[in-house]
Amino acid sequence: MDFTLYFAVILVVFALIFLFSVVKIVPQGREFTVERFGKYTKTLKPGISILTPFVERIGRRMNMMEQVLDVPQQEVITKDNAMVKVDAIVFIQVMDASAAAYRVENLPYAITQLCSTNLRTVVGSMDLDEVLFQRDNINSRLLTVIDAATEPWGVKVNRIEIKDLTPPVDITNAMARQMKAERERRAVITEAEGEKQAAIARAEGAKQSAILQSEGRKEAAFRDAEAREREAEAEAKATAMVSEAIARGDVNAINYFVAQKYVEAFAELARNPTAKTVIVPAEMSGLVGTIAGLGELVGLAREQQATRPPARPAEPVAAPQAPQPPRPPRRPTGSVPTAE
């Protein structure tokens, strides 16, 4: 009874071991190589597969997904003898599992060393300025060379990126000073351009101001001339009316001119800045009478103009008597000081 139980257990264990050695499940993103008596025969794709018992076995388990390899930092001498520290990263993907498994030993290490040697070659053929400012060029050259070198291994190099470029400390300081000087130069140029634009704007403003002032003076002169012309016309009409009144023997016409000159002279005397006193007539009746005569003359002229009959041939008239000049003002009895 015990022997039978032990035999059954041993048989079940042996069956399980046999089953696991024959039936293989390949996960997604992986491929397994199959060896028959140590020789490669086929590649198992993702899914379930059955091997020949005691004849075939799994050789290499290959990762078919994209992988990232880190290229360690190294010192490289550029074409102009500058020492820089460079490191990079590489993105690879196995395309042929059998070639990647049996054509190169330790695939990640081989690709890393290949990238390091080509990185020194590419960077060493360029000047420091080119290395610092042409990373895309370095990446493209490395990608072309390394992809061609790894193609027999069944590997596709998708991208190579320079991760860090570290120049020496003295070169870094020199670059910082150069950058500062360049920014100061740009600031000076920008400031000069601003001053130039401001000067142009000020000159344009002064030009427009001068033009507007000139046009203003021109308009003012034109208006002044027009005002003087109208004033002259009014003066001529007044003179003609007074002449007609004198011809008719009206004494108020003479009083009009005398009063006008009298008032103008008195105004000039009052506006004189050097005059300490202003002489005021004691009797203002003469001035009031003159102004009243002026008002009567203007009213008479308006009435005559409104009731004037049609023009007739002029008849000879006797010469009018000379009008008596107005009585001169009496001698002032006092003086009124003016404000200085």
Tab-separated table of all heavy atoms in Angstrom, residues 55-100:
chain	number	residue	atom	x	y	z
A	55	VAL	N	15.331	16.382	-26.291
A	55	VAL	CA	16.097	16.731	-27.492
A	55	VAL	C	16.288	18.244	-27.601
A	55	VAL	O	17.400	18.724	-27.864
A	55	VAL	CB	15.409	16.187	-28.756
A	55	VAL	CG1	16.162	16.610	-30.015
A	55	VAL	CG2	15.300	14.666	-28.698
A	56	GLU	N	15.241	18.978	-27.403
A	56	GLU	CA	15.284	20.443	-27.537
A	56	GLU	C	15.192	21.110	-26.168
A	56	GLU	O	14.559	20.590	-25.243
A	56	GLU	CB	14.127	20.941	-28.417
A	56	GLU	CG	14.203	20.438	-29.842
A	56	GLU	CD	13.014	20.896	-30.668
A	56	GLU	OE1	11.972	21.266	-30.089
A	56	GLU	OE2	13.110	20.872	-31.907
A	57	ARG	N	15.839	22.289	-26.117
A	57	ARG	CA	15.772	23.072	-24.892
A	57	ARG	C	15.840	24.568	-25.254
A	57	ARG	O	16.205	24.927	-26.358
A	57	ARG	CB	16.922	22.721	-23.949
A	57	ARG	CG	18.288	23.119	-24.457
A	57	ARG	CD	19.387	22.694	-23.503
A	57	ARG	NE	20.695	23.145	-23.961
A	57	ARG	CZ	21.237	24.318	-23.651
A	57	ARG	NH1	20.575	25.182	-22.893
A	57	ARG	NH2	22.444	24.623	-24.102
A	58	ILE	N	15.498	25.405	-24.288
A	58	ILE	CA	15.543	26.860	-24.478
A	58	ILE	C	16.987	27.315	-24.375
A	58	ILE	O	17.684	27.037	-23.388
A	58	ILE	CB	14.663	27.576	-23.444
A	58	ILE	CG1	13.189	27.143	-23.590
A	58	ILE	CG2	14.781	29.097	-23.605
A	58	ILE	CD1	12.583	27.467	-24.920
A	59	GLY	N	17.433	28.073	-25.427
A	59	GLY	CA	18.810	28.558	-25.419
A	59	GLY	C	18.938	29.951	-24.770
A	59	GLY	O	19.460	30.097	-23.668
A	60	ARG	N	18.475	31.018	-25.436
A	60	ARG	CA	18.569	32.406	-24.925
A	60	ARG	C	17.167	33.024	-24.853
A	60	ARG	O	16.336	32.805	-25.730
A	60	ARG	CB	19.443	33.269	-25.843
A	60	ARG	CG	20.850	32.757	-26.050
A	60	ARG	CD	21.678	32.899	-24.784
A	60	ARG	NE	23.022	32.387	-24.964
A	60	ARG	CZ	24.035	33.114	-25.417
A	60	ARG	NH1	23.842	34.384	-25.749
A	60	ARG	NH2	25.230	32.565	-25.551
A	61	ARG	N	16.958	33.768	-23.809
A	61	ARG	CA	15.705	34.518	-23.655
A	61	ARG	C	16.005	35.994	-23.979
A	61	ARG	O	16.643	36.690	-23.195
A	61	ARG	CB	15.156	34.366	-22.241
A	61	ARG	CG	14.666	32.959	-21.936
A	61	ARG	CD	14.288	32.830	-20.472
A	61	ARG	NE	13.583	31.581	-20.203
A	61	ARG	CZ	14.172	30.408	-19.998
A	61	ARG	NH1	15.510	30.326	-20.023
A	61	ARG	NH2	13.446	29.313	-19.770
A	62	MET	N	15.538	36.455	-25.117
A	62	MET	CA	15.876	37.787	-25.609
A	62	MET	C	14.722	38.768	-25.367
A	62	MET	O	13.546	38.427	-25.540
A	62	MET	CB	16.182	37.743	-27.118
A	62	MET	CG	17.306	36.781	-27.483
A	62	MET	SD	18.850	37.130	-26.614
A	62	MET	CE	19.198	38.767	-27.205
A	63	ASN	N	15.105	39.970	-24.960
A	63	ASN	CA	14.143	41.071	-24.748
A	63	ASN	C	13.998	41.828	-26.070
A	63	ASN	O	14.947	42.447	-26.558
A	63	ASN	CB	14.651	41.996	-23.643
A	63	ASN	CG	13.651	43.085	-23.290
A	63	ASN	OD1	12.582	43.194	-23.892
A	63	ASN	ND2	13.998	43.897	-22.305
A	64	MET	N	12.790	41.833	-26.619
A	64	MET	CA	12.554	42.450	-27.910
A	64	MET	C	12.043	43.892	-27.785
A	64	MET	O	11.808	44.556	-28.799
A	64	MET	CB	11.535	41.625	-28.710
A	64	MET	CG	11.924	40.176	-28.889
A	64	MET	SD	13.538	39.966	-29.694
A	64	MET	CE	13.143	40.558	-31.328
A	65	MET	N	11.865	44.389	-26.581
A	65	MET	CA	11.417	45.762	-26.379
A	65	MET	C	12.598	46.738	-26.476
A	65	MET	O	13.759	46.335	-26.397
A	65	MET	CB	10.725	45.893	-25.017
A	65	MET	CG	9.444	45.089	-24.907
A	65	MET	SD	8.652	45.296	-23.294
A	65	MET	CE	9.824	44.447	-22.225
A	66	GLU	N	12.262	48.019	-26.650
A	66	GLU	CA	13.310	49.042	-26.744
A	66	GLU	C	13.983	49.212	-25.386
A	66	GLU	O	13.323	49.304	-24.348
A	66	GLU	CB	12.717	50.378	-27.205
A	66	GLU	CG	13.768	51.436	-27.520
A	66	GLU	CD	13.174	52.686	-28.145
A	66	GLU	OE1	11.927	52.763	-28.230
A	66	GLU	OE2	13.945	53.562	-28.560
A	67	GLN	N	15.304	49.268	-25.425
A	67	GLN	CA	16.098	49.354	-24.209
A	67	GLN	C	16.951	50.631	-24.235
A	67	GLN	O	17.284	51.151	-25.303
A	67	GLN	CB	17.016	48.139	-24.072
A	67	GLN	CG	16.287	46.811	-24.145
A	67	GLN	CD	17.236	45.636	-24.146
A	67	GLN	OE1	18.125	45.527	-23.302
A	67	GLN	NE2	17.060	44.740	-25.112
A	68	VAL	N	17.283	51.088	-23.038
A	68	VAL	CA	18.092	52.295	-22.879
A	68	VAL	C	19.404	51.905	-22.222
A	68	VAL	O	19.424	51.306	-21.136
A	68	VAL	CB	17.368	53.355	-22.030
A	68	VAL	CG1	18.232	54.605	-21.901
A	68	VAL	CG2	16.019	53.696	-22.640
A	69	LEU	N	20.500	52.254	-22.882
A	69	LEU	CA	21.836	51.986	-22.352
A	69	LEU	C	22.511	53.307	-22.019
A	69	LEU	O	22.419	54.279	-22.771
A	69	LEU	CB	22.673	51.206	-23.373
A	69	LEU	CG	22.112	49.851	-23.823
A	69	LEU	CD1	23.052	49.206	-24.839
A	69	LEU	CD2	21.885	48.933	-22.630
A	70	ASP	N	23.193	53.321	-20.894
A	70	ASP	CA	23.884	54.523	-20.427
A	70	ASP	C	25.361	54.428	-20.801
A	70	ASP	O	26.049	53.471	-20.415
A	70	ASP	CB	23.717	54.653	-18.918
A	70	ASP	CG	24.213	56.005	-18.415
A	70	ASP	OD1	24.503	56.870	-19.261
A	70	ASP	OD2	24.326	56.170	-17.186
A	71	VAL	N	25.837	55.410	-21.567
A	71	VAL	CA	27.256	55.483	-21.919
A	71	VAL	C	27.959	56.273	-20.827
A	71	VAL	O	27.613	57.433	-20.576
A	71	VAL	CB	27.456	56.164	-23.292
A	71	VAL	CG1	28.935	56.237	-23.638
A	71	VAL	CG2	26.679	55.414	-24.368
A	72	PRO	N	28.915	55.705	-20.135
A	72	PRO	CA	29.545	56.390	-19.003
A	72	PRO	C	30.317	57.639	-19.451
A	72	PRO	O	30.737	57.766	-20.607
A	72	PRO	CB	30.482	55.337	-18.414
A	72	PRO	CG	30.734	54.386	-19.538
A	72	PRO	CD	29.488	54.367	-20.358
A	73	GLN	N	30.480	58.552	-18.502
A	73	GLN	CA	31.174	59.805	-18.794
A	73	GLN	C	32.657	59.545	-19.043
A	73	GLN	O	33.281	58.731	-18.370
A	73	GLN	CB	30.993	60.787	-17.630
A	73	GLN	CG	31.499	62.195	-17.929
A	73	GLN	CD	31.281	63.117	-16.758
A	73	GLN	OE1	31.851	62.919	-15.693
A	73	GLN	NE2	30.431	64.129	-16.940
A	74	GLN	N	33.207	60.282	-20.003
A	74	GLN	CA	34.622	60.152	-20.353
A	74	GLN	C	35.165	61.498	-20.795
A	74	GLN	O	34.421	62.381	-21.214
A	74	GLN	CB	34.802	59.122	-21.467
A	74	GLN	CG	34.005	59.449	-22.722
A	74	GLN	CD	34.134	58.384	-23.784
A	74	GLN	OE1	35.162	57.730	-23.885
A	74	GLN	NE2	33.083	58.198	-24.572
A	75	GLU	N	36.475	61.658	-20.662
A	75	GLU	CA	37.141	62.886	-21.074
A	75	GLU	C	37.602	62.757	-22.522
A	75	GLU	O	38.232	61.767	-22.891
A	75	GLU	CB	38.318	63.190	-20.161
A	75	GLU	CG	37.929	63.537	-18.736
A	75	GLU	CD	39.116	63.919	-17.880
A	75	GLU	OE1	40.264	63.717	-18.354
A	75	GLU	OE2	38.916	64.396	-16.753
A	76	VAL	N	37.305	63.767	-23.296
A	76	VAL	CA	37.624	63.762	-24.722
A	76	VAL	C	38.365	65.054	-25.052
A	76	VAL	O	37.989	66.138	-24.582
A	76	VAL	CB	36.348	63.643	-25.580
A	76	VAL	CG1	36.696	63.615	-27.065
A	76	VAL	CG2	35.548	62.408	-25.184
A	77	ILE	N	39.412	64.941	-25.873
A	77	ILE	CA	40.177	66.106	-26.329
A	77	ILE	C	39.633	66.541	-27.683
A	77	ILE	O	39.581	65.751	-28.631
A	77	ILE	CB	41.673	65.778	-26.428
A	77	ILE	CG1	42.203	65.340	-25.066
A	77	ILE	CG2	42.455	66.986	-26.935
A	77	ILE	CD1	43.657	64.909	-25.086
A	78	THR	N	39.227	67.789	-27.782
A	78	THR	CA	38.668	68.317	-29.025
A	78	THR	C	39.790	68.648	-30.016
A	78	THR	O	40.984	68.509	-29.723
A	78	THR	CB	37.823	69.564	-28.741
A	78	THR	OG1	38.660	70.567	-28.152
A	78	THR	CG2	36.697	69.245	-27.775
A	79	LYS	N	39.361	69.116	-31.179
A	79	LYS	CA	40.325	69.430	-32.235
A	79	LYS	C	41.234	70.589	-31.861
A	79	LYS	O	42.405	70.627	-32.263
A	79	LYS	CB	39.559	69.758	-33.518
A	79	LYS	CG	40.432	69.978	-34.745
A	79	LYS	CD	39.557	70.235	-35.956
A	79	LYS	CE	40.405	70.457	-37.206
A	79	LYS	NZ	39.567	70.715	-38.399
A	80	ASP	N	40.739	71.538	-31.057
A	80	ASP	CA	41.548	72.678	-30.620
A	80	ASP	C	42.153	72.453	-29.229
A	80	ASP	O	42.406	73.401	-28.492
A	80	ASP	CB	40.717	73.957	-30.635
A	80	ASP	CG	39.415	73.806	-29.879
A	80	ASP	OD1	39.116	72.676	-29.435
A	80	ASP	OD2	38.690	74.808	-29.733
A	81	ASN	N	42.345	71.151	-28.866
A	81	ASN	CA	43.052	70.756	-27.643
A	81	ASN	C	42.364	71.233	-26.363
A	81	ASN	O	43.019	71.614	-25.389
A	81	ASN	CB	44.498	71.278	-27.657
A	81	ASN	CG	45.306	70.702	-28.802
A	81	ASN	OD1	45.131	69.543	-29.167
A	81	ASN	ND2	46.174	71.514	-29.391
A	82	ALA	N	41.059	71.194	-26.346
A	82	ALA	CA	40.299	71.503	-25.141
A	82	ALA	C	39.739	70.195	-24.587
A	82	ALA	O	39.242	69.345	-25.327
A	82	ALA	CB	39.171	72.478	-25.448
A	83	MET	N	39.843	70.053	-23.270
A	83	MET	CA	39.380	68.827	-22.625
A	83	MET	C	37.930	69.009	-22.160
A	83	MET	O	37.615	69.943	-21.409
A	83	MET	CB	40.262	68.505	-21.427
A	83	MET	CG	39.933	67.188	-20.759
A	83	MET	SD	40.454	65.755	-21.721
A	83	MET	CE	42.232	65.922	-21.585
A	84	VAL	N	37.052	68.115	-22.612
A	84	VAL	CA	35.651	68.159	-22.207
A	84	VAL	C	35.232	66.785	-21.706
A	84	VAL	O	35.781	65.753	-22.121
A	84	VAL	CB	34.743	68.594	-23.379
A	84	VAL	CG1	35.021	70.018	-23.783
A	84	VAL	CG2	34.900	67.657	-24.563
A	85	LYS	N	34.249	66.784	-20.802
A	85	LYS	CA	33.687	65.549	-20.288
A	85	LYS	C	32.342	65.321	-20.962
A	85	LYS	O	31.475	66.197	-20.953
A	85	LYS	CB	33.513	65.621	-18.775
A	85	LYS	CG	34.833	65.719	-18.015
A	85	LYS	CD	34.590	65.779	-16.510
A	85	LYS	CE	35.915	65.871	-15.764
A	85	LYS	NZ	35.710	65.940	-14.288
A	86	VAL	N	32.184	64.103	-21.536
A	86	VAL	CA	31.002	63.798	-22.340
A	86	VAL	C	30.406	62.479	-21.881
A	86	VAL	O	31.131	61.522	-21.607
A	86	VAL	CB	31.351	63.720	-23.842
A	86	VAL	CG1	30.095	63.562	-24.674
A	86	VAL	CG2	32.138	64.920	-24.286
A	87	ASP	N	29.072	62.436	-21.793
A	87	ASP	CA	28.369	61.175	-21.606
A	87	ASP	C	27.116	61.201	-22.476
A	87	ASP	O	26.697	62.257	-22.953
A	87	ASP	CB	28.037	60.919	-20.146
A	87	ASP	CG	27.205	62.035	-19.544
A	87	ASP	OD1	26.957	63.029	-20.246
A	87	ASP	OD2	26.789	61.909	-18.381
A	88	ALA	N	26.529	60.016	-22.669
A	88	ALA	CA	25.400	59.912	-23.590
A	88	ALA	C	24.500	58.762	-23.177
A	88	ALA	O	24.821	57.976	-22.275
A	88	ALA	CB	25.900	59.724	-25.023
A	89	ILE	N	23.368	58.655	-23.855
A	89	ILE	CA	22.443	57.542	-23.683
A	89	ILE	C	22.083	57.019	-25.072
A	89	ILE	O	22.017	57.773	-26.041
A	89	ILE	CB	21.169	57.943	-22.910
A	89	ILE	CG1	20.513	59.168	-23.546
A	89	ILE	CG2	21.491	58.210	-21.454
A	89	ILE	CD1	19.200	59.542	-22.895
A	90	VAL	N	21.832	55.693	-25.157
A	90	VAL	CA	21.552	55.032	-26.429
A	90	VAL	C	20.249	54.258	-26.300
A	90	VAL	O	20.033	53.563	-25.300
A	90	VAL	CB	22.697	54.081	-26.829
A	90	VAL	CG1	22.456	53.514	-28.224
A	90	VAL	CG2	24.028	54.779	-26.769
A	91	PHE	N	19.386	54.385	-27.299
A	91	PHE	CA	18.120	53.665	-27.349
A	91	PHE	C	18.232	52.593	-28.437
A	91	PHE	O	18.389	52.932	-29.620
A	91	PHE	CB	16.966	54.617	-27.659
A	91	PHE	CG	16.755	55.673	-26.622
A	91	PHE	CD1	17.499	56.850	-26.646
A	91	PHE	CD2	15.836	55.497	-25.607
A	91	PHE	CE1	17.299	57.828	-25.697
A	91	PHE	CE2	15.637	56.472	-24.645
A	91	PHE	CZ	16.369	57.642	-24.681
A	92	ILE	N	18.143	51.308	-28.016
A	92	ILE	CA	18.307	50.196	-28.967
A	92	ILE	C	17.098	49.284	-28.882
A	92	ILE	O	16.343	49.297	-27.904
A	92	ILE	CB	19.594	49.400	-28.679
A	92	ILE	CG1	19.488	48.732	-27.308
A	92	ILE	CG2	20.815	50.290	-28.764
A	92	ILE	CD1	20.608	47.740	-27.016
A	93	GLN	N	16.940	48.468	-29.938
A	93	GLN	CA	15.873	47.464	-29.975
A	93	GLN	C	16.366	46.268	-30.777
A	93	GLN	O	16.895	46.419	-31.878
A	93	GLN	CB	14.609	48.035	-30.611
A	93	GLN	CG	13.424	47.075	-30.544
A	93	GLN	CD	12.146	47.716	-31.058
A	93	GLN	OE1	12.179	48.824	-31.615
A	93	GLN	NE2	11.026	47.044	-30.879
A	94	VAL	N	16.197	45.089	-30.194
A	94	VAL	CA	16.617	43.852	-30.854
A	94	VAL	C	15.575	43.493	-31.914
A	94	VAL	O	14.380	43.365	-31.615
A	94	VAL	CB	16.771	42.712	-29.836
A	94	VAL	CG1	17.126	41.407	-30.554
A	94	VAL	CG2	17.837	43.063	-28.808
A	95	MET	N	16.035	43.344	-33.135
A	95	MET	CA	15.158	42.998	-34.245
A	95	MET	C	15.259	41.519	-34.631
A	95	MET	O	14.286	40.936	-35.111
A	95	MET	CB	15.483	43.864	-35.469
A	95	MET	CG	15.507	45.358	-35.169
A	95	MET	SD	13.945	45.990	-34.500
A	95	MET	CE	12.879	45.771	-35.905
A	96	ASP	N	16.429	40.920	-34.444
A	96	ASP	CA	16.659	39.510	-34.767
A	96	ASP	C	17.220	38.831	-33.519
A	96	ASP	O	18.365	39.073	-33.126
A	96	ASP	CB	17.631	39.386	-35.936
A	96	ASP	CG	17.749	37.965	-36.451
A	96	ASP	OD1	17.215	37.051	-35.795
A	96	ASP	OD2	18.389	37.772	-37.500
A	97	ALA	N	16.395	37.983	-32.895
A	97	ALA	CA	16.809	37.376	-31.628
A	97	ALA	C	17.992	36.428	-31.804
A	97	ALA	O	18.901	36.380	-30.963
A	97	ALA	CB	15.619	36.634	-31.013
A	98	SER	N	18.006	35.660	-32.875
A	98	SER	CA	19.094	34.697	-33.068
A	98	SER	C	20.423	35.405	-33.308
A	98	SER	O	21.457	35.002	-32.752
A	98	SER	CB	18.765	33.778	-34.251
A	98	SER	OG	18.605	34.547	-35.445
A	99	ALA	N	20.416	36.492	-34.123
A	99	ALA	CA	21.667	37.218	-34.370
A	99	ALA	C	22.150	37.895	-33.097
A	99	ALA	O	23.358	37.895	-32.804
A	99	ALA	CB	21.446	38.245	-35.478
A	100	ALA	N	21.248	38.509	-32.330
A	100	ALA	CA	21.656	39.163	-31.100
A	100	ALA	C	22.149	38.163	-30.063
A	100	ALA	O	22.985	38.498	-29.214
A	100	ALA	CB	20.478	39.964	-30.535
